[in-house]
Amino acid sequence: MPASLSGKWEMISNVNFDNYMIALGISASLRKIAAKLTLKKKIERQEDQFIVKTTSTFRNYTVTFKVGQEFNEFTKGLDNRHLKSLVRWEGNKLICEQTGEKKNRGWTHWIEDDKLHLELFCEGQVCKQVYKNVSKTR
Ligand code: VLP
């Protein structure tokens, strides 16, 4: 059973995604498409470095970072903003603060009951997603 964030994951629930996207300023037409997607995550970790790939039939988004090291993030294909991002551990939670035009923006990942949990937050809106593990075992 996966005790780490690493592996392949598939979304099984997505609460308040629309309000999160509205907070990001995503257009109604794009929100309509995004709302129907089953998002997948592939998370790779090498010591303090993470690669988080979010994929779908519509668009993909990859972010690479080192824990504790601020980096420039461009949310290409999402809301297309330039951010200063910083990821840190707080207990078993991986927390990203995304500083930029939008206040109180970021996300938190953790494992609970063998599921990958994700809270995406922006300007007071919180979207809660849960992913099941779909890593191939052999
Ligand atoms: C934008 C909302 C369609 C929706 C418009 C595009 C690839 C934590 C973090 C690592 C994210 C992903 C946020 C996804 C929703 C943005 C959707 C295309 C999806 O993940 O895992 O980057 O911030």
Side-chain angles (χ1 to χ4, degrees), residues 19 21-22 35 38 40 60 63 65 74 93 98 100 119 122:
N19 283 323
M21 291 192 287
I22 289 170
T38 300
K40 295 177 183 185
N60 303 320
V63 65
F65 55 86
F74 175 51
K93 291 191 172 180
Q98 297 172 315
E119 280 180 359
C122 182

Side-chain angles (χ1 to χ4, degrees), residues 17 20-21 24 26 30 34 37 39 41 52 54-56 58-61 63 73 77-79 98 107 109 118 120:
F17 190 41
Y20 170 74
M21 291 192 287
L24 285 178
I26 306 293
L30 191 51
L37 300 173
L39 300 178
K41 299 270 183 195
V52 178
T54 306
T55 60
S56 73
F58 176 59
R59 271 180 202 169
N60 303 320
Y61 181 73
V63 65
E73 180 172 10
L78 304 179
D79 62 322
Q98 297 172 315
W107 50 259
H109 266 300
L118 171 62
L120 293 159

Side-chain angles (χ1 to χ4, degrees), residues 92-127:
N92 64 339
K93 291 191 172 180
L94 193 64
I95 300 177
C96 179
E97 282 183 56
Q98 297 172 315
T99 307
E101 180 186 345
K102 295 292 178 180
K103 302 302 168 206
N104 186 32
R105 177 175 184 174
W107 50 259
T108 300
H109 266 300
W110 72 97
I111 300 290
E112 194 179 309
D113 299 330
D114 290 345
K115 304 284 196 299
L116 177 71
H117 288 247
L118 171 62
E119 280 180 359
L120 293 159
F121 43 94
C122 182
E123 306 216 316
Q125 291 298 327
V126 183
C127 168

Side-chain angles (χ1 to χ4, degrees), residues 12-92:
I12 55 171
S13 64
N14 190 4
V15 174
N16 208 37
F17 190 41
D18 199 49
N19 283 323
Y20 170 74
M21 291 192 287
I22 289 170
L24 285 178
I26 306 293
S27 70
S29 55
L30 191 51
R31 295 202 315 270
K32 192 173 172 181
I33 296 167
K36 296 180 192 217
L37 300 173
T38 300
L39 300 178
K40 295 177 183 185
K41 299 270 183 195
K42 184 179 181 186
I43 302 180
E44 296 173 274
R45 180 185 181 180
Q46 300 150 6
E47 299 177 356
D48 271 357
Q49 163 141 317
F50 279 87
I51 304 170
V52 178
K53 292 179 183 171
T54 306
T55 60
S56 73
T57 52
F58 176 59
R59 271 180 202 169
N60 303 320
Y61 181 73
T62 300
V63 65
T64 302
F65 55 86
K66 283 189 177 172
V67 175
Q69 206 168 99
E70 189 178 72
F71 63 101
N72 295 309
E73 180 172 10
F74 175 51
T75 57
K76 186 179 165 73
L78 304 179
D79 62 322
N80 297 301
R81 284 192 175 88
H82 292 273
L83 315 168
K84 293 276 186 199
S85 301
L86 177 62
V87 183
R88 69 177 195 277
W89 285 109
E90 205 171 289
N92 64 339

